[in-house]
């Protein structure tokens, strides 16, 4: 069956993806709306990103994953959008500046997110590269939980900007991350064996459209796809 032959309205089966609460908050509504409007016989299962996510992709236990950090080089990828970080603090936190500095981040404990086998997500990798080693803090599995945890504490949560725009947490404020914190690409990952699968191609097309429809982030440069960076949108 080719992509042109595939009709989601008559297809059946299951698609499994691994994603964070950030993915669900930012892209979930648009993707789910299109998915269930077009497909009545396909079920969609969303699993949390976890220590086995990359192995699950390799072994076919999940069909795609959304992990904005280093992935095995053999995985195909398409960048859905670009994002940057902001810092969330309690309203009565001792830090009052609108943009935090690396020294600020090193002086106070963090509410961090750990989901992968290494126990480190993108923010922790950035802190390490900047030589920032904050005091012992809190580790949670979800970005929304990290943002909520800072209320009434001296914790700092560094989270994706679009997520904060969707949260309405009382008792907290948002500050810009240090200028040396880079923006990052948010990719869709899958095993190359699924590149030509009609259902998978259809699902990828839904995600690509949802990512393209987001309000532009800090950098809307061209997407970089596939292990070699040369995969087209239609693949």
């Amino acid at each position: 069956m080719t992509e042109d032959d595939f009709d989601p309205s008559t297809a059946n089966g299951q698609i499994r993806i691994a994603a964070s609460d950030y993915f669900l908050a930012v892209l979930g509504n648009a993707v789910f709306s299109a998915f269930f409007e077009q497909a009545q016989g396909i079920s969609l299962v969303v699993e949390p990103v976890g220590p086995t996510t990359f192995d699950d992709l390799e072994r076919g236990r999940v069909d795609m994953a959304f992990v904005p950090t280093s992935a095995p080089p053999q995985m195909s990828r398409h960048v859905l959008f670009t994002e940057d970080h902001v810092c969330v603090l309690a309203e009565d936190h001792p830090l009052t500046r609108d943009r935090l500095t690396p020294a600020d981040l090193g002086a106070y404990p963090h509410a961090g997110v750990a989901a992968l086998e290494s126990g480190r997500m993108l923010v922790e990798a950035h802190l390490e590269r900047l030589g920032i080693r904050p005091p012992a803090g809190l580790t949670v599995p979800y970005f929304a939980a990290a943002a909520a945890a800072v209320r009434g504490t001296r914790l700092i949560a560094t989270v994706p900007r679009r997520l904060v725009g969707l949260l309405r947490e009382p008792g907290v404020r948002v500050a810009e991350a240090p200028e040396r914190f880079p923006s990052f690409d948010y990719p869709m990952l899958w095993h190359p064996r699924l590149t030509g699968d009609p259902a998978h191609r259809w699902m990828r097309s839904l995600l690509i459209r949802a990512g393209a429809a987001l309000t532009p982030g800090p950098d809307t440069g061209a997407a970089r796809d596939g292990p070699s960076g040369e995969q087209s949108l239609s693949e």
Side-chain angles (χ1 to χ4, degrees):
M1 179 185 292
T2 66
E3 183 180 25
D4 291 338
D5 296 328
F6 179 73
D7 182 357
S9 68
T10 59
N12 53 50
Q14 184 181 86
I15 294 176
R16 303 181 73 90
I17 67 176
S20 68
D21 62 324
Y22 168 70
F23 166 90
L24 296 175
V26 173
L27 285 183
N29 184 261
V31 172
F32 299 158
S33 176
F35 185 100
F36 292 108
E37 178 182 357
Q38 297 180 37
Q40 289 77 48
I42 305 175
S43 61
L44 178 62
V45 178
V46 182
E47 300 180 354
V49 173
T52 65
T53 291
F54 294 145
D55 188 57
D56 291 340
L57 280 174
E58 181 71 38
R59 297 177 180 274
R61 291 190 289 259
V62 297
D63 300 302
M64 58 183 65
F66 306 87
V67 185
T69 189
S70 297
Q74 70 271 24
M75 294 299 168
S76 295
R77 69 195 300 264
H78 175 83
V79 175
L80 296 174
F81 57 90
T82 302
E83 179 66 290
D84 67 349
H85 290 101
V86 294
C87 298
V88 181
L89 310 84
E91 285 183 341
D92 58 354
H93 196 282
L95 294 175
T96 59
R97 67 182 97 238
D98 292 333
R99 181 182 291 276
L100 303 189
T101 67
D104 292 335
L105 294 185
Y108 292 92
H110 283 237
V113 178
L116 300 177
E117 188 171 8
S118 64
R120 296 165 65 251
M121 292 289 272
L122 198 60
V123 170
E124 286 70 29
H126 288 334
L127 292 173
E128 186 175 287
R129 280 195 290 271
L130 292 174
I132 300 171
R133 294 175 176 79
L138 172 71
T139 301
V140 295
Y142 307 114
F143 288 99
V150 305
R151 186 172 56 250
T153 75
R154 293 195 172 191
L155 294 166
I156 299 173
T158 306
V159 299
R161 184 182 299 275
R162 285 185 176 91
L163 178 66
V164 171
L166 297 170
L167 297 177
R168 296 293 182 268
E169 287 293 338
V172 303
R173 71 177 189 89
V174 178
E176 294 294 321
E179 292 181 358
R180 294 170 62 193
F181 252 64
S183 60
F184 63 94
D185 291 334
Y186 195 84
M188 167 175 55
L189 306 171
W190 69 94
H191 195 282
R193 67 172 170 268
L194 292 173
T195 295
D197 180 85
H200 202 276
R201 289 166 67 95
W202 167 74
M203 184 65 183
R204 295 201 307 269
S205 71
L206 297 185
L207 286 151
I208 290 169
R209 285 195 291 272
L214 288 177
T215 301
D219 179 4
T220 55
R224 295 181 292 281
D225 308 313
S228 65
E230 297 178 352
Q231 189 160 329
S232 70
L233 295 186
S234 62
E235 293 185 344

